[in-house]
Amino acid sequence: MSKKNSSKAGTLVIVESPSKAKTIHKYLGDDYIISSSVGHIIDLPKSRLAIDIGNDFKPEYITIRGKAKILNELKKQAGSVNRVLLATDPDREGEAISWHLSNALSEKNSDIKRIEFNEITEHAVKEAVSHPREINMDLVNAQQARRVLDRIVGYHISPILWKKVKKGLSAGRVQSVALKVICDREREIDNFIPDEYWTLDAELARKGKTFRAQLALFRNEKIRIRSKAEIDAVLENLKGKTMTVKDVKVQERRRRPVAPYITSKLQQDAANGLGFTSQKTMIIAQQLYEGIDITGEGPTGLITYMRTDSTRVADSAILAVRKYILDEFNNDYLPETINIYSNKKGAQDAHEAIRPTDVFRTPDSLKGDLTRDQYKVYDLIWKRFVASQMTPEVSEVTTVNIEAGEYLFRANGSRVLFKGFTAVDKTDKSDRSSLPHLAVGDEVQVHGFFPEQHFTTPPPRYNDASLVKFLEESGIGRPSTYAPTINTLVKRYYVTRSGKQLVPTILGKLVNDIMGKHFTSLVSIDFTANMEDRLDHIEDAKTDWKKMLHEFYAPFKVSIDQAEHNIEEMKGILDVETDIICEQCGRKMVKKLGKFGFFLACPGFPECRNSKPLPLGKCPRCENGDVVKRSSKKGRGGTFYACTNYPTCEFFTRDNPAEKACPRCGRLLFKKIIRHKGEKLICLNESCNYQVDLLDETQPANGSGQNANGTEQQEA
């Protein structure tokens, strides 16, 4: 937990993590003791509210269980040095940790100061050490206000849910709004009625080169074809029609690069491009920030602080990246003046954007020192930063309108004239389509018409990327809260993951309904966003944190008292009797909801304690087995699904079950995302291989295993 280099060292530097301590020691040397608090060391107790509401919301802080040994060691070290520097993370939470440490160590050393740095480099660390400051109590109070506020909400509402619904439930301030957003979207999807429509492509040719055009207008108005009868009528009208180029429009398009990453945008791109959860992205980014052991250099911080809402970049980093662009490309790729990006409204702008600490450390040069996932995240950050200071991509975009009687078809083509910032990504595969040379009055040959049936689709479920985007744009939460919020919803079994999608569970919907009915303002997007603004005002010394809590608590207490009286008793509402007989006592077993989902339990508890996994459907491999949900030993391998006859039947999959049987063979169906084809329902019975698009499955089942066009979808 610490690296003590000399009993006579004059300065103790305390950071949050051991890996950060290792990196900083390399820069400061043996004249400093570098120690780690291993995160929070003092906090509110978990077992009770610990907020004296009648005494101006005074929090009761204690040493976290298991951290006394660390604190005692830090006290011992603090008493042996001339001064103590607290170097926790540069945000509200880090400031609060430093404040707690300062209070705990003050009896051993009176010279305790705070230092902060946005990147763990030699220059940044030494600069911070030479400019220590006092603890910023406005930052501390903003963090205290958030902590107390969330504690009051959670510790007042959760017991009501335990009493009325089920023990172990929780309701957090930000998590409840996020759950509402997910549930509202699911309701939209459930209520959605698809509309049929058709598109018509024409395969055309000019001087031997083929291209496609799509029907766009009829009698100079946008055309919408709603049935097969209508598309057949259009095809009949087009028979024998000459197709002639009406006009050709050529434009130059300039596409500017985007700003370097802020936290939310990094999480979104990592989710969309890499398939990472927000939590995984932040864990990896933390590793890159705190330091990676680089060959020939030792522990080295590779990126700046990863929790930020600012696009601002240090002047020294701008100079470095402009030199890199000039060295690796040429003058055409370097703008005359630096590219400047504005922050979104309400951004705190406390730290720089996320960028590499040294732009000359390319991703490829570090490939041997990084794990595969670390490399992927660093590659995203590095490329985004370099591209942000390059010139625009320039393309030539061509639009051709082609007449066929009263119908007008449109073809689009583009070609890159100058790559600009896209040159930094050598794997860039942006869609480009070229057209033959066409001039007004040219006739084109018709090789065929290709009508295609479509149905409007419901809005997509939220995934990590889209939920983080919504929370950010709505002003809900801050960079440090996005990943923990999503993780809490999954851990509480309020939502589950289906591929990348976040799907509310029965439990999640029930809790959301209760919150929406009895705590309307608390789950209001505007109310929650306004609360975030008030926390920012505390940080800016514009609002007193205790006054803000008083203003919140008075109406909140009224709603708590009313909820206790008005919420109906719902215990057992989720318990359903089954026809499965308990083999130990003969009672009918009950389907119950536990911490990790549904399971079967004997209603004779505590006399009979029999419980087992819930059968989800018939095993796709054997005749008399059922599929059940299991977790690998100690939970390290995650969740999987297997047969109850294991090991006689070795059926095993990590695909999520669909909770419905195959219409062809009766075995349990599973959801599977197939690359380039989307999410499908598939039967894993090798003698069946039934497969259907998930969207088609939402239509009334005809039991024939046919898709919308009447053809069976089956693996070859």
Side-chain angles (χ1 to χ4, degrees):
M1 88 118 213
S2 67
K3 190 178 288 288
K4 190 167 182 176
N5 307 297
S6 170
S7 61
K8 297 180 181 179
T11 303
L12 168 65
V13 180
I14 302 176
V15 296
E16 289 179 59
S17 75
S19 58
K20 192 192 292 188
K22 189 178 178 184
T23 308
I24 291 173
H25 172 252
K26 183 181 77 169
Y27 300 133
L28 295 182
D30 293 341
D31 290 337
Y32 292 79
I33 299 174
I34 315 296
S35 285
S36 165
S37 67
V38 195
H40 285 271
I41 210 160
I42 293 169
D43 201 358
L44 298 169
K46 289 184 177 180
S47 58
R48 51 199 166 81
L49 178 63
I51 305 294
D52 189 348
I53 293 171
N55 188 19
D56 262 352
F57 301 94
K58 184 179 180 182
E60 179 192 336
Y61 294 114
I62 63 167
T63 303
I64 296 173
R65 181 178 295 179
K67 290 293 189 78
K69 185 177 178 181
I70 296 174
L71 182 57
N72 289 334
E73 176 67 12
L74 292 175
K75 286 181 178 179
K76 182 179 176 182
Q77 291 175 338
S80 69
V81 297
N82 293 327
R83 64 172 180 163
V84 177
L85 298 178
L86 304 170
T88 50
D89 284 349
D91 56 17
R92 292 174 184 169
E93 191 171 9
E95 200 74 16
I97 293 173
S98 284
W99 177 63
H100 286 306
L101 285 170
S102 177
N103 292 337
L105 303 179
S106 59
E107 63 185 54
K108 299 293 184 180
N109 197 309
S110 60
D111 189 359
I112 301 177
K113 294 289 190 294
R114 172 82 161 107
I115 62 171
E116 62 175 299
F117 32 80
N118 190 51
E119 60 184 68
I120 305 178
T121 59
E122 183 172 6
H123 172 76
V125 171
K126 288 184 174 179
E127 182 72 12
V129 168
S130 64
H131 293 90
R133 61 169 174 80
E134 300 297 328
I135 299 288
N136 184 331
M137 286 308 299
D138 292 325
L139 281 173
V140 172
N141 289 335
Q143 179 63 20
Q144 283 199 104
R146 176 185 288 280
R147 195 81 177 88
V148 171
L149 185 64
D150 290 342
R151 176 59 67 107
I152 288 172
V153 171
Y155 278 61
H156 277 80
I157 298 179
S158 296
I160 297 177
L161 296 178
W162 297 1
K163 180 180 177 183
K164 301 285 189 175
V165 184
K166 183 180 180 298
K167 192 173 181 181
L169 301 185
S170 75
R173 186 175 56 89
V174 176
Q175 104 187 21
S176 295
V177 180
L179 177 62
K180 178 182 184 299
V181 169
I182 294 170
C183 289
D184 286 350
R185 177 58 55 87
E186 195 70 16
R187 192 175 294 112
E188 284 184 69
I189 294 170
D190 290 342
N191 295 334
F192 181 81
I193 300 174
D195 288 327
E196 179 184 5
Y197 70 98
W198 290 73
T199 56
L200 180 62
D201 280 7
E203 187 171 287
L204 309 173
R206 173 70 179 172
K207 293 183 178 180
K209 185 171 182 179
T210 60
F211 63 100
R212 284 219 174 193
Q214 188 169 87
L215 179 61
L217 302 176
F218 176 64
R219 294 176 181 172
N220 295 321
E221 292 186 2
K222 188 175 180 179
I223 186 169
R224 186 169 180 85
I225 303 168
R226 300 179 183 277
S227 67
K228 189 173 187 306
E230 289 183 17
I231 194 72
D232 288 343
V234 171
L235 290 170
E236 184 65 29
N237 291 337
L238 286 169
K239 282 183 179 179
K241 292 286 192 302
T242 300
M243 298 193 74
T244 307
V245 176
K246 180 183 180 183
D247 58 64
V248 179
K249 187 176 182 181
V250 180
Q251 289 181 308
E252 184 178 280
R253 186 186 69 182
R254 300 173 70 83
R255 186 160 65 103
R256 282 176 49 83
V258 291
Y261 280 124
I262 59 176
T263 302
S264 59
K265 293 296 187 289
L266 175 62
Q267 291 179 9
Q268 290 167 44
D269 280 5
N272 291 327
L274 306 178
F276 289 178
T277 64
S278 295
Q279 183 186 32
K280 180 175 180 177
T281 300
M282 295 310 291
I283 288 172
I284 295 169
Q286 182 94 31
Q287 294 166 355
L288 296 173
Y289 166 69
E290 291 181 349
I292 303 294
D293 205 344
I294 304 300
T295 303
E297 295 186 57
T300 305
L302 298 180
I303 65 169
T304 52
Y305 193 53
M306 62 286 156
R307 295 186 183 93
T308 179
D309 57 9
S310 174
T311 59
R312 174 172 50 83
V313 174
D315 292 343
S316 58
I318 294 290
L319 291 174
V321 73
R322 286 176 67 83
K323 184 178 187 307
Y324 176 85
I325 294 166
L326 202 56
D327 290 349
E328 293 297 318
F329 300 95
N330 59 51
N331 266 324
D332 294 335
Y333 291 86
L334 187 69
E336 291 184 11
T337 59
I338 65 172
N339 294 334
I340 298 174
Y341 302 92
S342 58
N343 291 326
K344 68 180 181 68
K345 184 180 178 182
Q348 292 176 277
D349 196 26
H351 316 294
E352 284 187 66
I354 306 170
R355 61 167 175 81
T357 55
D358 182 352
V359 73
F360 289 92
R361 282 198 194 94
T362 64
D364 286 344
S365 72
L366 296 172
K367 206 163 191 176
D369 296 309
L370 303 177
T371 66
R372 185 174 64 174
D373 289 343
Q374 287 171 344
Y375 173 82
K376 288 178 179 179
V377 174
Y378 184 76
D379 188 58
L380 273 182
I381 294 168
W382 185 89
K383 284 178 178 175
R384 177 82 164 226
F385 175 60
V386 175
S388 72
Q389 288 302 321
M390 295 177 73
T391 49
E393 175 200 65
V394 182
S395 299
E396 180 184 82
V397 179
T398 303
T399 303
V400 180
N401 290 322
I402 301 167
E403 283 185 317
E406 294 180 303
Y407 296 95
L408 185 137
F409 287 76
R410 183 165 292 149
N412 296 297
S414 66
R415 65 188 182 97
V416 176
L417 302 177
F418 176 68
K419 283 190 171 184
F421 74 92
T422 62
V424 76
D425 188 357
K426 296 179 174 60
T427 62
D428 180 49
K429 296 179 181 178
S430 301
D431 290 336
R432 297 290 184 267
S433 57
S434 59
L435 296 173
H437 177 72
L438 296 167
V440 175
D442 285 347
E443 286 190 15
V444 294
Q445 295 174 300
V446 180
H447 284 186
F449 291 106
F450 298 89
E452 188 172 356
Q453 183 189 37
H454 307 272
F455 291 92
T456 55
T457 58
R461 288 188 177 116
Y462 284 101
N463 57 23
D464 281 52
S466 57
L467 183 59
V468 166
K469 182 180 181 183
F470 179 87
L471 294 176
E472 180 203 17
E473 290 178 347
S474 302
I476 298 170
R478 287 297 179 259
S480 61
T481 65
Y482 303 138
T485 297
I486 297 172
N487 191 46
T488 298
L489 291 175
V490 174
K491 281 176 62 179
R492 295 288 182 186
Y493 194 64
Y494 291 170
V495 304
T496 58
R497 294 186 186 276
S498 175
K500 293 181 181 180
Q501 298 175 331
L502 298 169
V503 186
T505 63
I506 295 174
L507 179 61
K509 291 177 181 178
L510 177 61
V511 171
N512 178 62
D513 288 344
I514 292 172
M515 294 297 294
K517 184 176 180 180
H518 299 280
F519 301 98
T520 308
S521 64
L522 200 64
V523 294
S524 160
I525 292 170
D526 291 340
F527 176 85
T528 308
N530 178 259
M531 193 59 67
E532 294 293 348
D533 290 339
R534 298 186 72 180
L535 290 169
D536 291 344
H537 291 161
I538 295 169
E539 179 177 329
D540 296 333
K542 296 177 181 177
T543 300
D544 178 78
W545 72 285
K546 294 176 182 177
K547 179 184 176 185
M548 185 274 278
L549 290 172
H550 277 290
E551 291 172 349
F552 165 80
Y553 185 74
F556 174 72
K557 185 62 168 65
V558 172
S559 64
I560 285 290
D561 294 340
Q562 291 175 344
E564 279 195 289
H565 177 73
N566 294 332
I567 295 178
E568 298 176 12
E569 180 76 32
M570 297 182 185
K571 279 195 171 178
I573 193 173
L574 298 174
D575 297 347
V576 180
E577 186 180 81
T578 71
D579 292 329
I580 299 171
I581 303 300
C582 174
E583 61 272 24
Q584 294 183 15
C585 71
R587 295 182 177 94
K588 286 186 176 182
M589 300 194 80
V590 175
K591 175 184 172 184
K592 296 181 78 71
L593 183 61
K595 187 176 181 181
F596 303 106
F598 285 102
F599 68 100
L600 286 176
C602 181
F605 183 88
E607 294 86 8
C608 180
R609 295 175 175 266
N610 186 26
S611 66
K612 55 188 177 182
L614 178 72
L616 302 174
K618 288 185 178 180
C619 174
R621 185 169 297 180
C622 70
E623 288 300 321
N624 58 356
D626 290 310
V627 176
V628 293
K629 182 179 180 180
R630 297 189 183 277
S631 295
S632 55
K633 193 174 182 181
K634 297 183 180 179
R636 291 174 183 170
T639 297
F640 63 92
Y641 299 89
C643 181
T644 51
N645 288 332
Y646 180 85
T648 304
C649 174
E650 296 182 350
F651 173 76
F652 166 96
T653 183
R654 291 192 185 277
D655 294 324
N656 288 321
E659 298 180 0
K660 59 180 69 179
C662 173
R664 187 181 295 163
C665 71
R667 310 299 175 91
L668 182 65
L669 289 174
F670 288 82
K671 300 175 185 177
K672 193 176 188 69
I673 296 178
I674 299 177
R675 194 174 182 184
H676 304 309
K677 294 183 180 180
E679 192 169 16
K680 294 180 177 289
L681 294 183
I682 63 171
C683 180
L684 298 179
N685 178 2
E686 293 178 357
S687 63
C688 176
N689 286 333
Y690 169 80
Q691 182 181 128
V692 67
D693 286 336
L694 195 59
L695 179 62
D696 293 339
E697 186 66 16
T698 63
Q699 306 305 310
N702 56 20
S704 65
Q706 295 184 333
N707 66 14
N709 294 319
T711 58
E712 289 187 341
Q713 297 205 21
Q714 180 174 324
E715 282 191 339

